[in-house]
Each structure stands twice: as structure tokens, then as C-alpha cells.
């Protein structure tokens, strides 16, 4: 449907993340946030790499050794996650994007996971230091060894109003704002 010709506006439901931070002391709930773009776990000013256990649906999947890791929505995939080497996706893609920041191993690559999973990032007890967790670039908090962050798709998306179809607007935006696949034609 072309909204421009029909004088209508189109609505897109943009996924958010539902994040809960827990202390290792008796699994005590500390904080809750629902970011639109991303959740960042990073080492802060520590000289040591972060060591972060990644659980998918309560199964330890891997240990990430990196400056940090980003869990992003499709909306957030063109922000910090893209700058760290993650993939871009239109906001209608139902997924959670995991992007390591400067990983120790080249084998640690970005992932796109289905949005129906439960993610858990935990700082192992034996880590040298804790980490920082940040939601949409603000509300930063320190988490200690043993603490963890649970991340899942929020049941309350953000409503976005589009003048044109959201895919057309998204591709136009990445071409004009990011210069995506734009190059000067050689006339020689």
C-alpha cells in the first residue's frame, strides 16, 4: 500500500527488549528496563577483557571474552551494534542480535537469534572484575561477579507511524544517512 497516494499513515510495531538485572545473592531482582535499541555489557575502564557467560534458554552456550557484548533489536541494529560489526535489519525483523565488541577470538561472530528465546548474560564468579550494563546508552549500572541480566522480547512494542511503507523508509534511510552501497561511478 502506498500511503502517499492514499493519504494514509502506516503503523509499524517496533520490538523492544525486556531486561531484568539480578544479584547473585539469592537471585535477588535489582532492576528492570525495556530498551528499544540495545543492551550493552562492557568492561568499562577495566584493563581486562570482560568474561561473560551467554545462556540461551537457560543452557550455557558460550563464554564471551571481549571488550563487551551488545544485545540489540532490529531497530537498534543500525546503531551501536552496526558500529561494532553487527548486521543491519529492518525494524520488522523479529530477532535479537548479539554482537561481540572486539572479541578475543575471531571465531566469536555476531548472531541473529529468534525473538522467542530467553537470553542470560552472567559475569562468572571467577572473573577478575564485574562489568557495566547500559540500556539504550543510558541508565548504566555496575554488576558484580555472579550477577546476571535476563533479556527477552518485550510484550509491549513501540508503535511507529510511517509516511510510506516501513521497508521503503528503512532502505531510503540507510542509503541517505549511512551511504549504504552508494559509490561514485568512475567516468574514465
Amino acid at each position: 500500500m502506498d500511503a502517499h497516494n492514499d493519504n494514509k499513515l502506516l503503523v509499524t510495531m517496533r520490538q523492544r527488549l525486556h531486561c531484568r538485572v539480578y544479584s547473585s545473592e539469592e537471585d535477588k531482582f535489582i532492576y528492570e528496563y525495556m530498551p528499544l535499541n540495545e543492551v550493552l555489557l562492557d568492561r568499562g575502564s577495566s584493563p581486562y577483557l570482560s568474561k561473560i557467560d551467554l545462556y540461551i534458554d537457560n543452557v550455557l552456550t558460550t563464554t564471551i571474552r571481549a571488550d563487551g557484548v551488545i544485545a540489540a533489536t532490529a531497530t537498534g541494529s543500525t546503531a551501536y551494534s552496526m558500529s561494532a560489526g553487527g548486521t543491519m535489519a529492518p525494524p520488522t525483523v523479529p530477532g535479537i542480535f548479539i554482537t561481540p565488541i572486539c572479541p578475543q577470538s575471531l571465531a566469536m561472530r555476531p548472531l541473529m537469534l529468534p525473538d522467542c528465546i530467553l537470553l542470560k548474560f552472567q559475569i562468572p564468579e571467577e572473573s577478575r572484575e564485574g562489568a557495566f550494563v547500559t540500556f539504550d546508552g543510558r541508565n548504566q549500572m555496575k554488576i558484580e561477579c555472579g550477577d546476571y541480566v535476563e533479556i527477552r522480547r518485550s510484550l509491549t512494542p513501540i508503535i511507529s507511524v510511517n509516511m510510506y511503507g516501513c521497508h521503503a523508509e528503512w532502505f531510503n534511510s540507510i542509503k541517505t544517512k549511512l551511504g549504504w552501497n552508494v559509490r561514485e561511478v568512475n567516468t574514465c
Side-chain angles (χ1 to χ4, degrees), residues 5 23-24 48 68 75 79 98 120 124-125 129 131 143 154 157 162 182:
N5 292 335
S23 168
S24 60
Y48 305 110
T75 297
I98 307 299
K120 181 168 98 173
E125 291 284 352
E129 294 198 31
I143 57 174
S154 170
N162 304 90
V182 175

Side-chain angles (χ1 to χ4, degrees), residues 38-41 68-72 80-81 84 97-101 121:
E38 77 272 325
V39 179
L40 165 68
L41 277 84
V69 64
I70 300 165
Y80 192 9
S81 179
F97 299 80
I98 307 299
T99 306
I101 302 170
F121 290 117

